[in-house]
Amino acid sequence: AQKVTQAQTEISVVEKEDVTLDCVYETRDTTYYLFWYKQPPSGELVFLIRRNSFDEQNEISGRYSWNFQKSTSSFNFTITASQVVDSAVYFCALSEDRSNTGNQFYFGTGTSLTVIP
Amino acid sequence: GAVVSQHPSRVICKSGTSVKIECRSLDFQATTMFWYRQFPKQSLMLMATSNEGSKATYEQGVEKDKFLINHASLTLSTLTVTSAHPEDSSFYICSAIAGTGEETQYFGPGTRLLVL
């Protein structure tokens, strides 16, 4: 079973529209971390956020916001007023704490976002 | 912002040879570095986490003897793909964290390895 599911493979929006990228995760752990990364066409990854499982507060950073809902095991990412520079593949990831054997890290398959000018 | 470099950016080698990839933090000390692998048009995979001066922690399914990681200093980590085979061809990416408790990862530009 997929530990991190990004059901949206590709999304296209027109510039200035808002867009939400979905991420659903699966874990039995009580302590874990969730991440979002951006990979623009250049290929170089950009870290966006890390959230631990005990912090369910929503996060806002400029045009970016994240909605962490433990009840639905989701960690969705919203871009408001999208811009062409937001065009990229976005990856959601889960890290489970395996103190004895090292963390286990799972990436989603990514959502390719295209913002049309 | 913090800068992480990788060298080489691209390497082609013959099957059976070993290839070393360097990851450097240029303007900060990296207590922790990560190595990732990305197959063409596929998702990412974390291979291992390395802390300066200690052995790397490998993710399940990653061969320790195949992918040797050395984090000898606070600014340099190396990944050596030993006895490379065509299936090792991939995009290898490193990232670094500036200190204990820090969350932000700074990524290198990646190294594209092609094994013939």
Side-chain angles (χ1 to χ4, degrees), chain A residues 1-4 24-35 37 50-54 73 92-107, chain B residues 34 46 49 57-60:
Chain A
Q2 191 78 353
K3 297 284 280 189
V4 178
V24 174
Y25 63 92
E26 179 185 330
T27 182
R28 293 181 180 179
D29 291 6
T30 54
T31 302
Y32 53 90
Y33 294 91
L34 296 164
F35 302 77
Y37 300 89
R50 184 184 85 164
R51 174 54 51 86
N52 76 56
S53 52
F54 298 106
S73 297
C92 179
L94 163 71
S95 174
E96 294 176 327
D97 184 17
R98 296 282 181 268
S99 300
N100 293 329
T101 60
N103 290 357
Q104 191 65 34
F105 208 93
Y106 306 91
F107 278 94
Chain B
F34 304 89
L46 176 65
T49 302
T57 301
Y58 289 79
E59 294 295 298
Q60 289 180 18

mmCIF file of all heavy atoms in Angstrom, chain A residues 1-4 24-35 37 50-54 73 92-107, chain B residues 34 46 49 57-60:
data_model
loop_
_atom_site.group_PDB
_atom_site.id
_atom_site.type_symbol
_atom_site.label_atom_id
_atom_site.label_comp_id
_atom_site.label_asym_id
_atom_site.label_seq_id
_atom_site.Cartn_x
_atom_site.Cartn_y
_atom_site.Cartn_z
ATOM 1 N N ALA A 1 0.845 -1.193 0.000
ATOM 2 C CA ALA A 1 0.000 0.000 0.000
ATOM 3 C C ALA A 1 0.880 1.242 0.000
ATOM 4 O O ALA A 1 1.945 1.255 0.622
ATOM 5 C CB ALA A 1 -0.900 0.013 1.223
ATOM 6 N N GLN A 2 0.418 2.229 -0.701
ATOM 7 C CA GLN A 2 1.163 3.470 -0.801
ATOM 8 C C GLN A 2 1.102 4.193 0.529
ATOM 9 O O GLN A 2 0.026 4.436 1.082
ATOM 10 C CB GLN A 2 0.528 4.327 -1.906
ATOM 11 C CG GLN A 2 1.306 5.517 -2.320
ATOM 12 C CD GLN A 2 2.459 5.184 -3.241
ATOM 13 O OE1 GLN A 2 2.768 4.030 -3.491
ATOM 14 N NE2 GLN A 2 3.126 6.196 -3.732
ATOM 15 N N LYS A 3 2.266 4.587 1.060
ATOM 16 C CA LYS A 3 2.276 5.287 2.332
ATOM 17 C C LYS A 3 1.904 6.758 2.150
ATOM 18 O O LYS A 3 1.351 7.371 3.055
ATOM 19 C CB LYS A 3 3.663 5.187 2.951
ATOM 20 C CG LYS A 3 4.083 3.765 3.272
ATOM 21 C CD LYS A 3 3.394 3.241 4.499
ATOM 22 C CE LYS A 3 4.048 3.750 5.756
ATOM 23 N NZ LYS A 3 3.536 3.085 6.968
ATOM 24 N N VAL A 4 2.263 7.313 1.012
ATOM 25 C CA VAL A 4 1.932 8.702 0.715
ATOM 26 C C VAL A 4 1.270 8.731 -0.661
ATOM 27 O O VAL A 4 1.861 8.288 -1.643
ATOM 28 C CB VAL A 4 3.187 9.598 0.705
ATOM 29 C CG1 VAL A 4 2.815 11.034 0.348
ATOM 30 C CG2 VAL A 4 3.879 9.552 2.058
ATOM 31 N N VAL A 24 -2.337 12.523 1.001
ATOM 32 C CA VAL A 24 -2.900 11.642 2.020
ATOM 33 C C VAL A 24 -1.817 10.647 2.421
ATOM 34 O O VAL A 24 -1.133 10.095 1.562
ATOM 35 C CB VAL A 24 -4.139 10.900 1.483
ATOM 36 C CG1 VAL A 24 -4.633 9.882 2.509
ATOM 37 C CG2 VAL A 24 -5.242 11.891 1.149
ATOM 38 N N TYR A 25 -1.662 10.442 3.696
ATOM 39 C CA TYR A 25 -0.593 9.557 4.166
ATOM 40 C C TYR A 25 -1.169 8.444 5.018
ATOM 41 O O TYR A 25 -2.320 8.521 5.491
ATOM 42 C CB TYR A 25 0.454 10.361 4.953
ATOM 43 C CG TYR A 25 -0.090 11.003 6.197
ATOM 44 C CD1 TYR A 25 -0.028 10.352 7.431
ATOM 45 C CD2 TYR A 25 -0.693 12.264 6.146
ATOM 46 C CE1 TYR A 25 -0.537 10.942 8.572
ATOM 47 C CE2 TYR A 25 -1.210 12.857 7.276
ATOM 48 C CZ TYR A 25 -1.127 12.196 8.481
ATOM 49 O OH TYR A 25 -1.645 12.774 9.619
ATOM 50 N N GLU A 26 -0.344 7.440 5.215
ATOM 51 C CA GLU A 26 -0.763 6.290 6.014
ATOM 52 C C GLU A 26 0.353 5.923 6.969
ATOM 53 O O GLU A 26 1.482 5.671 6.549
ATOM 54 C CB GLU A 26 -1.078 5.111 5.098
ATOM 55 C CG GLU A 26 -1.495 3.841 5.822
ATOM 56 C CD GLU A 26 -1.666 2.675 4.874
ATOM 57 O OE1 GLU A 26 -2.012 2.903 3.699
ATOM 58 O OE2 GLU A 26 -1.416 1.538 5.293
ATOM 59 N N THR A 27 0.053 5.895 8.243
ATOM 60 C CA THR A 27 1.026 5.489 9.234
ATOM 61 C C THR A 27 0.321 5.048 10.495
ATOM 62 O O THR A 27 -0.767 5.522 10.806
ATOM 63 C CB THR A 27 2.000 6.642 9.568
ATOM 64 O OG1 THR A 27 2.973 6.180 10.517
ATOM 65 C CG2 THR A 27 1.279 7.847 10.158
ATOM 66 N N ARG A 28 0.976 4.152 11.216
ATOM 67 C CA ARG A 28 0.447 3.721 12.506
ATOM 68 C C ARG A 28 1.190 4.404 13.648
ATOM 69 O O ARG A 28 0.840 4.234 14.816
ATOM 70 C CB ARG A 28 0.572 2.204 12.651
ATOM 71 C CG ARG A 28 -0.296 1.428 11.704
ATOM 72 C CD ARG A 28 -0.160 -0.066 11.903
ATOM 73 N NE ARG A 28 -1.014 -0.806 10.968
ATOM 74 C CZ ARG A 28 -1.072 -2.128 10.908
ATOM 75 N NH1 ARG A 28 -0.335 -2.857 11.704
ATOM 76 N NH2 ARG A 28 -1.868 -2.715 10.039
ATOM 77 N N ASP A 29 2.211 5.148 13.290
ATOM 78 C CA ASP A 29 3.013 5.813 14.310
ATOM 79 C C ASP A 29 2.282 7.033 14.869
ATOM 80 O O ASP A 29 1.447 7.632 14.190
ATOM 81 C CB ASP A 29 4.349 6.272 13.713
ATOM 82 C CG ASP A 29 5.250 5.122 13.383
ATOM 83 O OD1 ASP A 29 4.812 3.958 13.504
ATOM 84 O OD2 ASP A 29 6.409 5.366 13.005
ATOM 85 N N THR A 30 2.620 7.385 16.085
ATOM 86 C CA THR A 30 2.090 8.605 16.662
ATOM 87 C C THR A 30 3.058 9.768 16.437
ATOM 88 O O THR A 30 2.652 10.925 16.457
ATOM 89 C CB THR A 30 1.828 8.446 18.168
ATOM 90 O OG1 THR A 30 3.040 7.991 18.792
ATOM 91 C CG2 THR A 30 0.727 7.438 18.417
ATOM 92 N N THR A 31 4.321 9.428 16.241
ATOM 93 C CA THR A 31 5.329 10.452 15.974
ATOM 94 C C THR A 31 5.811 10.308 14.540
ATOM 95 O O THR A 31 6.365 9.268 14.174
ATOM 96 C CB THR A 31 6.521 10.316 16.937
ATOM 97 O OG1 THR A 31 6.059 10.413 18.287
ATOM 98 C CG2 THR A 31 7.537 11.427 16.662
ATOM 99 N N TYR A 32 5.607 11.321 13.775
ATOM 100 C CA TYR A 32 6.048 11.291 12.384
ATOM 101 C C TYR A 32 6.159 12.730 11.885
ATOM 102 O O TYR A 32 5.751 13.680 12.560
ATOM 103 C CB TYR A 32 5.095 10.475 11.498
ATOM 104 C CG TYR A 32 3.639 10.891 11.579
ATOM 105 C CD1 TYR A 32 3.114 11.862 10.727
ATOM 106 C CD2 TYR A 32 2.781 10.294 12.516
ATOM 107 C CE1 TYR A 32 1.783 12.232 10.800
ATOM 108 C CE2 TYR A 32 1.449 10.666 12.594
ATOM 109 C CZ TYR A 32 0.957 11.634 11.743
ATOM 110 O OH TYR A 32 -0.364 12.004 11.823
ATOM 111 N N TYR A 33 6.755 12.869 10.710
ATOM 112 C CA TYR A 33 6.915 14.182 10.099
ATOM 113 C C TYR A 33 6.361 14.155 8.678
ATOM 114 O O TYR A 33 6.435 13.140 7.993
ATOM 115 C CB TYR A 33 8.400 14.578 10.033
ATOM 116 C CG TYR A 33 9.028 14.789 11.383
ATOM 117 C CD1 TYR A 33 9.647 13.731 12.058
ATOM 118 C CD2 TYR A 33 9.011 16.041 11.995
ATOM 119 C CE1 TYR A 33 10.216 13.908 13.299
ATOM 120 C CE2 TYR A 33 9.587 16.236 13.238
ATOM 121 C CZ TYR A 33 10.182 15.168 13.882
ATOM 122 O OH TYR A 33 10.745 15.357 15.115
ATOM 123 N N LEU A 34 5.840 15.269 8.277
ATOM 124 C CA LEU A 34 5.333 15.438 6.923
ATOM 125 C C LEU A 34 6.078 16.583 6.251
ATOM 126 O O LEU A 34 6.421 17.576 6.899
ATOM 127 C CB LEU A 34 3.831 15.733 6.957
ATOM 128 C CG LEU A 34 2.971 14.602 7.519
ATOM 129 C CD1 LEU A 34 1.591 15.107 7.875
ATOM 130 C CD2 LEU A 34 2.877 13.459 6.521
ATOM 131 N N PHE A 35 6.296 16.425 4.968
ATOM 132 C CA PHE A 35 7.090 17.393 4.215
ATOM 133 C C PHE A 35 6.410 17.719 2.890
ATOM 134 O O PHE A 35 5.648 16.919 2.342
ATOM 135 C CB PHE A 35 8.472 16.818 3.856
ATOM 136 C CG PHE A 35 9.307 16.367 5.013
ATOM 137 C CD1 PHE A 35 9.049 15.160 5.643
ATOM 138 C CD2 PHE A 35 10.369 17.138 5.443
ATOM 139 C CE1 PHE A 35 9.830 14.729 6.706
ATOM 140 C CE2 PHE A 35 11.169 16.715 6.502
ATOM 141 C CZ PHE A 35 10.898 15.516 7.135
ATOM 142 N N TYR A 37 7.952 19.341 -0.879
ATOM 143 C CA TYR A 37 9.094 19.799 -1.654
ATOM 144 C C TYR A 37 8.620 20.242 -3.023
ATOM 145 O O TYR A 37 7.628 19.737 -3.546
ATOM 146 C CB TYR A 37 10.119 18.677 -1.863
ATOM 147 C CG TYR A 37 10.708 18.097 -0.605
ATOM 148 C CD1 TYR A 37 10.093 17.020 0.026
ATOM 149 C CD2 TYR A 37 11.877 18.607 -0.058
ATOM 150 C CE1 TYR A 37 10.624 16.480 1.182
ATOM 151 C CE2 TYR A 37 12.425 18.057 1.098
ATOM 152 C CZ TYR A 37 11.793 17.002 1.707
ATOM 153 O OH TYR A 37 12.318 16.462 2.850
ATOM 154 N N ARG A 50 8.346 21.344 6.832
ATOM 155 C CA ARG A 50 8.326 20.135 7.630
ATOM 156 C C ARG A 50 7.363 20.363 8.785
ATOM 157 O O ARG A 50 7.409 21.401 9.439
ATOM 158 C CB ARG A 50 9.702 19.805 8.208
ATOM 159 C CG ARG A 50 9.718 18.484 8.970
ATOM 160 C CD ARG A 50 11.037 18.199 9.629
ATOM 161 N NE ARG A 50 11.128 18.844 10.934
ATOM 162 C CZ ARG A 50 12.042 18.525 11.854
ATOM 163 N NH1 ARG A 50 12.932 17.598 11.608
ATOM 164 N NH2 ARG A 50 12.072 19.160 13.001
ATOM 165 N N ARG A 51 6.502 19.401 8.995
ATOM 166 C CA ARG A 51 5.524 19.507 10.077
ATOM 167 C C ARG A 51 5.542 18.240 10.895
ATOM 168 O O ARG A 51 5.489 17.149 10.337
ATOM 169 C CB ARG A 51 4.144 19.752 9.471
ATOM 170 C CG ARG A 51 2.967 19.750 10.398
ATOM 171 C CD ARG A 51 3.161 20.721 11.563
ATOM 172 N NE ARG A 51 3.551 22.051 11.165
ATOM 173 C CZ ARG A 51 2.687 23.005 10.829
ATOM 174 N NH1 ARG A 51 1.396 22.769 10.869
ATOM 175 N NH2 ARG A 51 3.128 24.192 10.501
ATOM 176 N N ASN A 52 5.637 18.357 12.229
ATOM 177 C CA ASN A 52 5.588 17.143 13.040
ATOM 178 C C ASN A 52 4.151 16.802 13.392
ATOM 179 O O ASN A 52 3.256 17.655 13.349
ATOM 180 C CB ASN A 52 6.486 17.267 14.278
ATOM 181 C CG ASN A 52 5.876 18.139 15.362
ATOM 182 O OD1 ASN A 52 4.764 17.878 15.825
ATOM 183 N ND2 ASN A 52 6.604 19.151 15.785
ATOM 184 N N SER A 53 3.952 15.565 13.758
ATOM 185 C CA SER A 53 2.607 15.023 13.943
ATOM 186 C C SER A 53 1.862 15.634 15.119
ATOM 187 O O SER A 53 0.646 15.483 15.232
ATOM 188 C CB SER A 53 2.677 13.509 14.108
ATOM 189 O OG SER A 53 3.600 13.160 15.123
ATOM 190 N N PHE A 54 2.576 16.308 15.989
ATOM 191 C CA PHE A 54 1.919 16.890 17.160
ATOM 192 C C PHE A 54 1.491 18.335 16.936
ATOM 193 O O PHE A 54 0.892 18.953 17.803
ATOM 194 C CB PHE A 54 2.849 16.805 18.374
ATOM 195 C CG PHE A 54 3.175 15.395 18.746
ATOM 196 C CD1 PHE A 54 4.424 14.868 18.483
ATOM 197 C CD2 PHE A 54 2.225 14.578 19.323
ATOM 198 C CE1 PHE A 54 4.733 13.560 18.807
ATOM 199 C CE2 PHE A 54 2.517 13.269 19.656
ATOM 200 C CZ PHE A 54 3.770 12.763 19.394
ATOM 201 N N SER A 73 -5.913 12.091 7.835
ATOM 202 C CA SER A 73 -4.536 11.762 7.411
ATOM 203 C C SER A 73 -4.161 12.514 6.151
ATOM 204 O O SER A 73 -3.683 11.933 5.161
ATOM 205 C CB SER A 73 -4.390 10.257 7.180
ATOM 206 O OG SER A 73 -4.592 9.549 8.363
ATOM 207 N N CYS A 92 5.037 15.389 -1.762
ATOM 208 C CA CYS A 92 4.706 15.276 -0.350
ATOM 209 C C CYS A 92 5.480 14.076 0.187
ATOM 210 O O CYS A 92 5.721 13.112 -0.548
ATOM 211 C CB CYS A 92 3.197 15.064 -0.211
ATOM 212 S SG CYS A 92 2.590 14.867 1.473
ATOM 213 N N ALA A 93 5.877 14.124 1.442
ATOM 214 C CA ALA A 93 6.658 13.019 1.999
ATOM 215 C C ALA A 93 6.325 12.815 3.472
ATOM 216 O O ALA A 93 5.889 13.730 4.162
ATOM 217 C CB ALA A 93 8.153 13.282 1.836
ATOM 218 N N LEU A 94 6.563 11.584 3.902
ATOM 219 C CA LEU A 94 6.304 11.182 5.279
ATOM 220 C C LEU A 94 7.570 10.554 5.849
ATOM 221 O O LEU A 94 8.201 9.729 5.190
ATOM 222 C CB LEU A 94 5.167 10.144 5.311
ATOM 223 C CG LEU A 94 4.988 9.295 6.575
ATOM 224 C CD1 LEU A 94 4.447 10.131 7.718
ATOM 225 C CD2 LEU A 94 4.069 8.107 6.285
ATOM 226 N N SER A 95 7.913 10.931 7.062
ATOM 227 C CA SER A 95 9.036 10.310 7.753
ATOM 228 C C SER A 95 8.537 9.698 9.044
ATOM 229 O O SER A 95 7.954 10.392 9.879
ATOM 230 C CB SER A 95 10.113 11.353 8.040
ATOM 231 O OG SER A 95 11.149 10.803 8.839
ATOM 232 N N GLU A 96 8.754 8.387 9.166
ATOM 233 C CA GLU A 96 8.378 7.689 10.389
ATOM 234 C C GLU A 96 9.612 7.492 11.240
ATOM 235 O O GLU A 96 10.687 7.191 10.733
ATOM 236 C CB GLU A 96 7.755 6.325 10.056
ATOM 237 C CG GLU A 96 6.440 6.422 9.327
ATOM 238 C CD GLU A 96 5.908 5.053 8.928
ATOM 239 O OE1 GLU A 96 6.719 4.163 8.641
ATOM 240 O OE2 GLU A 96 4.670 4.895 8.900
ATOM 241 N N ASP A 97 9.464 7.637 12.514
ATOM 242 C CA ASP A 97 10.599 7.539 13.425
ATOM 243 C C ASP A 97 10.888 6.086 13.753
ATOM 244 O O ASP A 97 10.051 5.394 14.315
ATOM 245 C CB ASP A 97 10.314 8.311 14.711
ATOM 246 C CG ASP A 97 11.508 8.316 15.644
ATOM 247 O OD1 ASP A 97 12.630 8.021 15.172
ATOM 248 O OD2 ASP A 97 11.338 8.611 16.827
ATOM 249 N N ARG A 98 12.054 5.658 13.311
ATOM 250 C CA ARG A 98 12.499 4.310 13.671
ATOM 251 C C ARG A 98 13.809 4.503 14.431
ATOM 252 O O ARG A 98 14.886 4.355 13.884
ATOM 253 C CB ARG A 98 12.737 3.469 12.416
ATOM 254 C CG ARG A 98 11.493 3.215 11.613
ATOM 255 C CD ARG A 98 10.639 2.131 12.248
ATOM 256 N NE ARG A 98 9.451 1.871 11.439
ATOM 257 C CZ ARG A 98 8.295 2.476 11.620
ATOM 258 N NH1 ARG A 98 8.167 3.395 12.569
ATOM 259 N NH2 ARG A 98 7.252 2.173 10.860
ATOM 260 N N SER A 99 13.724 4.841 15.681
ATOM 261 C CA SER A 99 14.900 5.241 16.447
ATOM 262 C C SER A 99 16.002 4.194 16.423
ATOM 263 O O SER A 99 17.180 4.503 16.400
ATOM 264 C CB SER A 99 14.509 5.530 17.897
ATOM 265 O OG SER A 99 13.567 6.572 17.934
ATOM 266 N N ASN A 100 15.595 2.927 16.401
ATOM 267 C CA ASN A 100 16.606 1.874 16.442
ATOM 268 C C ASN A 100 17.224 1.618 15.078
ATOM 269 O O ASN A 100 18.394 1.248 14.980
ATOM 270 C CB ASN A 100 15.986 0.564 16.962
ATOM 271 C CG ASN A 100 15.571 0.694 18.419
ATOM 272 O OD1 ASN A 100 16.187 1.433 19.177
ATOM 273 N ND2 ASN A 100 14.514 0.004 18.791
ATOM 274 N N THR A 101 16.456 1.762 14.048
ATOM 275 C CA THR A 101 16.950 1.396 12.722
ATOM 276 C C THR A 101 17.010 2.577 11.771
ATOM 277 O O THR A 101 17.297 2.398 10.605
ATOM 278 C CB THR A 101 16.052 0.306 12.112
ATOM 279 O OG1 THR A 101 14.716 0.822 12.015
ATOM 280 C CG2 THR A 101 16.058 -0.938 12.953
ATOM 281 N N GLY A 102 16.748 3.757 12.273
ATOM 282 C CA GLY A 102 16.760 4.927 11.386
ATOM 283 C C GLY A 102 15.376 5.212 10.844
ATOM 284 O O GLY A 102 14.547 4.325 10.725
ATOM 285 N N ASN A 103 15.140 6.477 10.540
ATOM 286 C CA ASN A 103 13.829 6.858 10.028
ATOM 287 C C ASN A 103 13.519 6.168 8.715
ATOM 288 O O ASN A 103 14.408 5.866 7.930
ATOM 289 C CB ASN A 103 13.783 8.365 9.823
ATOM 290 C CG ASN A 103 13.780 9.098 11.148
ATOM 291 O OD1 ASN A 103 13.749 8.480 12.202
ATOM 292 N ND2 ASN A 103 13.813 10.400 11.095
ATOM 293 N N GLN A 104 12.236 5.922 8.490
ATOM 294 C CA GLN A 104 11.790 5.429 7.219
ATOM 295 C C GLN A 104 11.103 6.591 6.508
ATOM 296 O O GLN A 104 10.203 7.223 7.062
ATOM 297 C CB GLN A 104 10.813 4.253 7.394
ATOM 298 C CG GLN A 104 10.511 3.515 6.109
ATOM 299 C CD GLN A 104 11.710 2.803 5.526
ATOM 300 O OE1 GLN A 104 12.555 2.310 6.245
ATOM 301 N NE2 GLN A 104 11.790 2.764 4.211
ATOM 302 N N PHE A 105 11.508 6.852 5.297
ATOM 303 C CA PHE A 105 11.083 8.037 4.565
ATOM 304 C C PHE A 105 10.343 7.608 3.319
ATOM 305 O O PHE A 105 10.818 6.771 2.561
ATOM 306 C CB PHE A 105 12.330 8.843 4.183
ATOM 307 C CG PHE A 105 12.085 10.313 4.046
ATOM 308 C CD1 PHE A 105 12.285 11.168 5.107
ATOM 309 C CD2 PHE A 105 11.674 10.841 2.838
ATOM 310 C CE1 PHE A 105 12.070 12.528 4.984
ATOM 311 C CE2 PHE A 105 11.450 12.193 2.708
ATOM 312 C CZ PHE A 105 11.653 13.051 3.780
ATOM 313 N N TYR A 106 9.166 8.211 3.105
ATOM 314 C CA TYR A 106 8.357 7.849 1.948
ATOM 315 C C TYR A 106 7.962 9.108 1.182
ATOM 316 O O TYR A 106 7.457 10.058 1.777
ATOM 317 C CB TYR A 106 7.076 7.133 2.375
ATOM 318 C CG TYR A 106 7.293 5.938 3.265
ATOM 319 C CD1 TYR A 106 7.302 6.085 4.645
ATOM 320 C CD2 TYR A 106 7.473 4.673 2.726
ATOM 321 C CE1 TYR A 106 7.494 5.003 5.464
ATOM 322 C CE2 TYR A 106 7.664 3.575 3.554
ATOM 323 C CZ TYR A 106 7.672 3.751 4.918
ATOM 324 O OH TYR A 106 7.868 2.674 5.736
ATOM 325 N N PHE A 107 8.164 9.084 -0.125
ATOM 326 C CA PHE A 107 7.720 10.174 -0.979
ATOM 327 C C PHE A 107 6.447 9.788 -1.701
ATOM 328 O O PHE A 107 6.243 8.623 -2.053
ATOM 329 C CB PHE A 107 8.776 10.494 -2.041
ATOM 330 C CG PHE A 107 9.890 11.369 -1.546
ATOM 331 C CD1 PHE A 107 11.074 10.810 -1.074
ATOM 332 C CD2 PHE A 107 9.786 12.742 -1.560
ATOM 333 C CE1 PHE A 107 12.114 11.602 -0.626
ATOM 334 C CE2 PHE A 107 10.819 13.551 -1.120
ATOM 335 C CZ PHE A 107 11.978 12.974 -0.652
ATOM 336 N N PHE B 34 21.722 14.592 3.544
ATOM 337 C CA PHE B 34 20.855 13.527 3.038
ATOM 338 C C PHE B 34 21.227 13.228 1.599
ATOM 339 O O PHE B 34 21.586 14.124 0.841
ATOM 340 C CB PHE B 34 19.390 13.964 3.084
ATOM 341 C CG PHE B 34 18.904 14.393 4.438
ATOM 342 C CD1 PHE B 34 19.032 15.715 4.838
ATOM 343 C CD2 PHE B 34 18.312 13.495 5.307
ATOM 344 C CE1 PHE B 34 18.590 16.128 6.080
ATOM 345 C CE2 PHE B 34 17.860 13.897 6.556
ATOM 346 C CZ PHE B 34 17.998 15.219 6.937
ATOM 347 N N LEU B 46 14.686 8.575 -0.548
ATOM 348 C CA LEU B 46 15.771 8.899 0.367
ATOM 349 C C LEU B 46 16.632 7.664 0.512
ATOM 350 O O LEU B 46 16.129 6.581 0.814
ATOM 351 C CB LEU B 46 15.224 9.334 1.723
ATOM 352 C CG LEU B 46 16.270 9.601 2.808
ATOM 353 C CD1 LEU B 46 17.141 10.790 2.444
ATOM 354 C CD2 LEU B 46 15.592 9.835 4.164
ATOM 355 N N THR B 49 20.872 9.049 5.528
ATOM 356 C CA THR B 49 21.112 10.274 6.274
ATOM 357 C C THR B 49 22.497 10.182 6.883
ATOM 358 O O THR B 49 22.833 9.153 7.498
ATOM 359 C CB THR B 49 20.077 10.428 7.406
ATOM 360 O OG1 THR B 49 18.772 10.417 6.833
ATOM 361 C CG2 THR B 49 20.294 11.715 8.177
ATOM 362 N N THR B 57 23.048 6.546 8.255
ATOM 363 C CA THR B 57 21.874 5.712 8.509
ATOM 364 C C THR B 57 21.165 5.493 7.195
ATOM 365 O O THR B 57 20.686 6.446 6.575
ATOM 366 C CB THR B 57 20.927 6.403 9.498
ATOM 367 O OG1 THR B 57 21.623 6.652 10.720
ATOM 368 C CG2 THR B 57 19.721 5.519 9.778
ATOM 369 N N TYR B 58 21.098 4.243 6.771
ATOM 370 C CA TYR B 58 20.531 3.928 5.466
ATOM 371 C C TYR B 58 19.045 3.579 5.588
ATOM 372 O O TYR B 58 18.609 2.986 6.569
ATOM 373 C CB TYR B 58 21.265 2.745 4.844
ATOM 374 C CG TYR B 58 22.677 3.089 4.397
ATOM 375 C CD1 TYR B 58 23.728 3.155 5.311
ATOM 376 C CD2 TYR B 58 22.947 3.351 3.058
ATOM 377 C CE1 TYR B 58 25.008 3.491 4.903
ATOM 378 C CE2 TYR B 58 24.230 3.666 2.635
ATOM 379 C CZ TYR B 58 25.245 3.740 3.563
ATOM 380 O OH TYR B 58 26.507 4.064 3.155
ATOM 381 N N GLU B 59 18.304 3.960 4.566
ATOM 382 C CA GLU B 59 16.904 3.570 4.511
ATOM 383 C C GLU B 59 16.814 2.078 4.166
ATOM 384 O O GLU B 59 17.731 1.501 3.578
ATOM 385 C CB GLU B 59 16.159 4.395 3.455
ATOM 386 C CG GLU B 59 16.065 5.872 3.803
ATOM 387 C CD GLU B 59 15.234 6.140 5.032
ATOM 388 O OE1 GLU B 59 14.021 5.814 5.013
ATOM 389 O OE2 GLU B 59 15.771 6.679 6.022
ATOM 390 N N GLN B 60 15.701 1.486 4.531
ATOM 391 C CA GLN B 60 15.500 0.070 4.253
ATOM 392 C C GLN B 60 15.581 -0.179 2.757
ATOM 393 O O GLN B 60 15.000 0.558 1.955
ATOM 394 C CB GLN B 60 14.139 -0.385 4.779
ATOM 395 C CG GLN B 60 14.069 -0.444 6.296
ATOM 396 C CD GLN B 60 12.715 -0.906 6.798
ATOM 397 O OE1 GLN B 60 11.941 -1.491 6.054
ATOM 398 N NE2 GLN B 60 12.431 -0.632 8.056
#
